[in-house]
Amino acid sequence: MSNQATIRIDCSQPSGHTVNPYLFGHFVEDIRDHMEAMLAYPLKDMDFESEAGSTAGVAGSWYAFTNGRNTGYALEASAPKHSGRAQRIRLLSDDEAYAGIAQRTALQEGMYTVKLVARASVELTYIIVEAVDRISQARLGLERIGLDSHNWQQYEAGLSVSRNSEDAEFRVYVPAEHPRWRDHVSTGMLWLDHVSLLPEDHIGTVKREVVEMTKDLNAGMMRLAGNYISAYHFEHGIGPVLERPVMFNEAWGGWTSKYFGTDEFIRFCRELRVEPLICVNDGSGSPEEAARWVEYCNGGTDTPMGAKRAANGYAEPYNVKYWEIGNEVWGPWQVGTTTAEQFAKRTVSFIQAMKQADPSLVILACGHTDQEWNRAVLDTAGEQIDYLTLHLYHGYNRFAMDQNTPEEERYKAIASFPEWTRYNIEQTAGQIRSNPDHAHVKLAITEYNTMYYPNTVRKGLPDEHTLGAAVANAANLNEMLRASDIVQIGSFSDLVNGWLGGCIRVGDYYADQYCGKLPGWSGHPLTVYGTPTYEVMKLYAGRDISRLLPSVAECGTFSVRSGRPAPIHLDALPDLDTVAFTNESGDSVTVFTVNRSLQEVKASFTMHGFEADGTVVVYEISGESEWEINSVFAPDRIACKVSEVPAGAWAENWLLRPASVYALEFRTGSAGRNGGVR
């Protein structure tokens, strides 16, 4: 049985403000396997930074590759100026064995660049780099690299991989057929300081598939931030990559990627043609350090940090305009957590230092859903900031629900998340507008996503990937768009893998917040795909929308059975969530409609001041169940479908499927005289 609905849109009253394209932004953070999934390097522990793993004396993800009974392994200090460690391998001539190290990985067909930093005993004249399929042991590629120095030296070679292998082994070793030597105290030793593979189709060291999928998101803005940033020192992530120090990731464990620093982030943004947003370290960092970061990005070559940027190969300033101070500083999990009053004073000192380096900066300061925090920050720093930030993650804990709650009730809770978004926006906007001294401040929702279980209980299949999550995130976008006069920046969390919410997925690694990264089990680590929310983000950001139009939906309602008191009414929530826009020229109207209910809805559309001509383009994201997901086995199960229907059909009852997202594009050749933007 279908519910009935009527949607009315007044096209004669476009808003005075325009939608900021930065509202459709995204977010990269060094969290769990975000960098590992995003970057094109297939090997881990490239600098032997991790402790010994399964084999004593062999670093982290590597293991011994030898048939020698007496081959010895040890971890030593790295080469001069390099970070991490050096892997020492000692071969005895009498063993007449092969000896080296190997790592399990996944490889694609094509050409790879192999880079080694090595030194060896003088009698070792060459080594082999080889890739094989672990299941069949078929060779995928082999290259001989000559060793011509007893001292540290960088070697580079091409390795052609003949076919895809989801379960491959990469080896670096001295082969058994290498000429033997007479045993002595200083013979048969090979040191490796760095070993990396990089496919030739990478784009700035990022996976080509990730770059291409991110381009389709039309993000507008890309944010570099997250919990790790409050213990991150940017100067560790610039300069020659092998000389960058290895940093422990204090927020998330493991190692912060030295292969994606400031320069790589800016290159990524420029490849995507999006505006960069950088969050500075105000936890363990200082105003002076933040000012140096600004100068590194924006200073001329006549400044100390601008000269350093030029020496690193980037003569022209990056002109990074948007800078954020503080990431969830109110959280006890954050390095440098503090009170609102102390943070506000800290913010002022950071702004003063940063604007000495570049007075033109646009400043974002850490806000909160707690209005007492926002009041304190605005009272002290409000006149000097341009944006206050919010992080909006709504979960089952708001409703005293868990995985044992019946599915239908859990879905209704998911579908109500945008009601909380509206409440948080309205409360914060009211706080901003309460004082004319800081009424100019806008809102930046620099992290948002659905979050289902408490942070420490995340095991198994992630609900954040479902069609129901996409419905909630579409309605979240609707709320942000309705408030787009004050909400001008958004950052969906995350871009790639990372915690459970990454909208681009590489393989099937699941980041359990309690135990850390859980390895994939499917055997398809090379598959790159988007979640249903990826489809939503691409749909919304790809539309030609500029000015908000008044719209009203008369429809059925649903209720959420919350086991906990809520500051919002949950007993009669509308089935449909609708927001409408015209473009700047006024010749098109786009209507986003989210059917949050579990029933079909027959909707009729009426538009005042706009007469649609020809056909309507219909974009639909739907599925057979609200719990459906995309996966490595079915990466396109939930995809946006595009069709065209006669314009007149929308004046009648049109079927909207349960738990589904729609965008309707109406066009006319006579919009100017019928109420288009004037």
Side-chain angles (χ1 to χ4, degrees):
M1 183 176 178
S2 300
N3 293 330
Q4 300 292 317
T6 300
I7 298 170
R8 296 185 175 88
I9 301 160
D10 187 350
C11 303
S12 66
Q13 299 185 54
S15 64
H17 73 276
T18 58
V19 175
N20 192 325
Y22 300 159
L23 193 147
F24 302 108
H26 284 262
F27 168 40
V28 296
E29 175 182 6
D30 201 330
I31 174 176
R32 306 301 192 212
D33 65 336
H34 190 301
M35 293 302 171
E36 181 182 309
M38 184 174 80
L39 298 183
Y41 298 102
L43 297 178
K44 305 173 187 177
D45 284 329
M46 295 185 289
D47 301 290
F48 307 102
E49 59 268 29
S50 295
E51 300 291 339
S54 58
T55 305
V58 180
S61 301
W62 298 93
Y63 46 86
F65 178 69
T66 183
N67 62 345
R69 293 186 302 165
N70 299 295
T71 303
Y73 293 88
L75 293 170
E76 297 185 356
S78 62
K81 297 184 180 181
H82 287 195
S83 63
R85 283 179 272 213
Q87 178 71 65
R88 173 161 55 85
I89 305 159
R90 177 81 188 273
L91 302 78
L92 295 189
S93 183
D94 289 346
D95 278 353
E96 297 182 355
Y98 60 84
I101 55 173
Q103 184 176 139
R104 186 175 179 179
T105 187
L107 298 173
Q108 292 179 303
E109 178 183 351
M111 182 63 70
Y112 287 78
T113 297
V114 182
K115 286 188 178 180
L116 305 174
V117 175
R119 62 180 294 256
S121 302
V122 295
E123 64 280 352
L124 294 181
T125 59
Y126 71 93
I127 56 175
I128 298 295
V129 292
E130 182 182 26
V132 301
D133 185 275
R134 291 183 71 251
I135 304 302
S136 67
Q137 287 298 300
R139 177 177 291 165
L140 305 172
L142 181 145
E143 188 68 25
R144 171 175 164 154
I145 298 176
L147 300 173
D148 53 16
S149 177
H150 181 254
N151 209 343
W152 288 110
Q153 186 163 313
Q154 181 168 311
Y155 300 90
E156 186 172 313
L159 179 68
S160 178
V161 174
S162 58
R163 62 173 175 83
N164 286 7
S165 176
E166 289 78 10
D167 193 356
E169 183 174 82
F170 177 75
R171 304 164 175 170
V172 183
Y173 63 98
V174 177
E177 60 269 20
H178 188 288
R180 294 292 116 173
W181 54 92
R182 181 173 295 182
D183 279 330
H184 196 267
V185 292
S186 63
T187 58
M189 285 181 278
L190 170 68
W191 289 265
L192 299 169
D193 175 78
H194 168 85
V195 179
S196 66
L197 280 176
L198 191 61
E200 67 175 358
D201 70 345
H202 73 93
I203 301 177
T205 73
V206 178
K207 286 185 175 73
R208 175 170 292 276
E209 302 95 323
V210 168
V211 171
E212 291 172 348
M213 288 186 67
T214 306
K215 283 181 178 179
D216 289 342
L217 286 170
N218 196 25
M221 177 174 277
M222 189 65 64
R223 175 179 183 251
L224 179 70
N227 287 351
Y228 89 103
I229 212 77
S230 290
Y232 178 78
H233 300 288
F234 85 96
E235 285 162 296
H236 293 177
I238 59 175
V241 70
L242 294 183
E243 297 179 17
R244 299 176 186 179
V246 170
M247 290 184 290
F248 186 76
N249 191 324
E250 296 178 43
W252 301 113
W255 303 102
T256 297
S257 176
K258 70 179 188 180
Y259 293 90
F260 193 80
T262 301
D263 301 307
E264 290 80 14
F265 172 66
I266 297 300
R267 179 172 177 176
F268 184 53
C269 291
R270 289 184 170 176
E271 184 68 36
L272 300 172
R273 298 184 178 179
V274 300
E275 189 78 19
L277 165 62
I278 294 177
C279 184
V280 299
N281 174 2
D282 87 317
S284 64
S286 67
E288 294 75 20
E289 181 183 29
R292 289 198 302 274
W293 202 349
V294 172
E295 186 176 283
Y296 183 82
C297 289
N298 298 352
T301 55
D302 57 342
T303 65
M305 295 306 297
K308 182 171 285 190
R309 183 195 64 245
N312 290 336
Y314 309 96
E316 294 300 316
Y318 292 144
N319 297 320
V320 178
K321 183 178 181 181
Y322 290 83
W323 294 81
E324 184 176 357
I325 300 172
N327 181 87
E328 299 178 4
V329 186
W330 34 263
W333 54 84
Q334 196 74 37
V335 171
T337 184
T338 188
T339 65
E341 289 77 13
Q342 289 172 326
F343 170 71
K345 293 176 183 177
R346 204 157 76 188
T347 296
V348 171
S349 66
F350 269 74
I351 293 171
Q352 290 171 346
M354 293 165 69
K355 287 206 169 184
Q356 282 186 349
D358 185 346
S360 69
L361 303 184
V362 175
I363 299 294
L364 293 72
C366 174
H368 195 4
T369 54
D370 179 353
Q371 297 310 317
E372 286 304 304
W373 172 282
N374 292 338
R375 179 193 55 75
V377 172
L378 289 167
D379 284 351
T380 299
E383 292 184 54
Q384 299 184 54
I385 67 175
D386 302 287
Y387 287 85
L388 192 67
T389 69
L390 285 178
H391 289 183
L392 300 181
Y393 297 105
H394 313 303
Y396 290 146
N397 56 320
R398 291 190 184 274
F399 310 92
M401 293 181 181
D402 59 27
Q403 56 266 49
N404 298 315
T405 303
E407 278 193 354
E408 182 172 338
E409 292 305 315
R410 281 192 284 135
Y411 171 75
K412 289 179 180 178
I414 294 169
S416 76
F417 288 170
E419 308 295 326
W420 297 86
T421 296
R422 183 190 311 129
Y423 173 77
N424 293 142
I425 290 173
E426 289 176 348
Q427 292 287 305
T428 309
Q431 187 69 248
I432 290 171
R433 291 164 175 156
S434 65
N435 186 331
D437 289 342
H438 49 64
H440 66 280
V441 173
K442 303 297 183 184
L443 267 176
I445 302 178
T446 51
E447 292 184 31
Y448 70 95
N449 200 341
T450 53
M451 179 178 281
Y452 296 138
Y453 302 116
N455 267 3
T456 53
V457 185
R458 293 175 168 275
K459 300 176 182 178
L461 194 64
D463 286 350
E464 279 86 348
H465 294 190
T466 64
L467 175 60
V471 167
N473 281 314
N476 271 332
L477 279 171
N478 284 0
E479 293 297 344
M480 293 159 65
L481 286 165
R482 269 190 283 269
S484 52
D485 58 330
I486 191 168
V487 179
Q488 297 189 352
I489 292 174
S491 303
F492 181 79
S493 172
D494 285 335
L495 180 65
V496 188
N497 286 35
W499 71 291
L500 292 179
C503 67
I504 297 174
R505 306 302 300 182
V506 177
D508 62 353
Y509 281 75
Y510 297 143
D512 185 298
Q513 297 283 77
Y514 182 71
C515 300
K517 183 176 60 182
L518 298 179
W521 47 267
S522 68
H524 296 282
L526 297 174
T527 302
V528 183
Y529 64 97
T531 67
T533 292
Y534 171 87
E535 296 292 320
V536 165
M537 298 300 297
K538 183 170 67 171
L539 171 64
Y540 272 66
R543 309 281 63 77
D544 181 15
I545 62 174
S546 179
R547 297 182 185 269
L548 182 67
L549 298 173
S551 62
V552 176
E554 297 176 359
C555 57
T557 62
F558 66 96
S559 299
V560 179
R561 297 178 187 174
S562 178
R564 184 172 294 168
I568 57 178
H569 296 294
L570 297 170
D571 53 350
L573 303 180
D575 291 342
L576 300 186
D577 186 328
T578 299
V579 63
F581 295 87
T582 185
N583 62 351
E584 198 60 26
S585 61
D587 61 2
S588 76
V589 169
T590 299
V591 183
F592 296 110
T593 297
V594 181
N595 182 6
R596 302 190 292 180
S597 78
L598 294 175
Q599 306 294 323
E600 292 180 339
V601 174
K602 287 185 177 179
S604 299
F605 289 75
T606 62
M607 288 190 288
H608 170 68
F610 188 95
E611 187 173 339
D613 295 338
T615 59
V616 178
V617 181
V618 182
Y619 301 86
E620 177 185 357
I621 300 171
S622 63
E624 297 304 315
S625 164
E626 66 275 19
W627 301 106
E628 278 194 308
I629 66 166
N630 292 337
S631 70
V632 291
F633 302 110
D636 300 315
R637 175 173 284 138
I638 304 297
C640 186
K641 301 173 183 176
V642 185
S643 60
E644 293 187 358
V645 298
W650 291 94
E652 306 166 4
N653 290 336
W654 195 264
L655 192 66
L656 304 177
R657 300 184 66 188
S660 54
V661 180
Y662 292 85
L664 317 174
E665 289 182 347
F666 300 85
R667 292 193 172 275
T668 183
S670 54
R673 63 176 181 272
N674 286 323
V677 177
R678 294 181 292 276

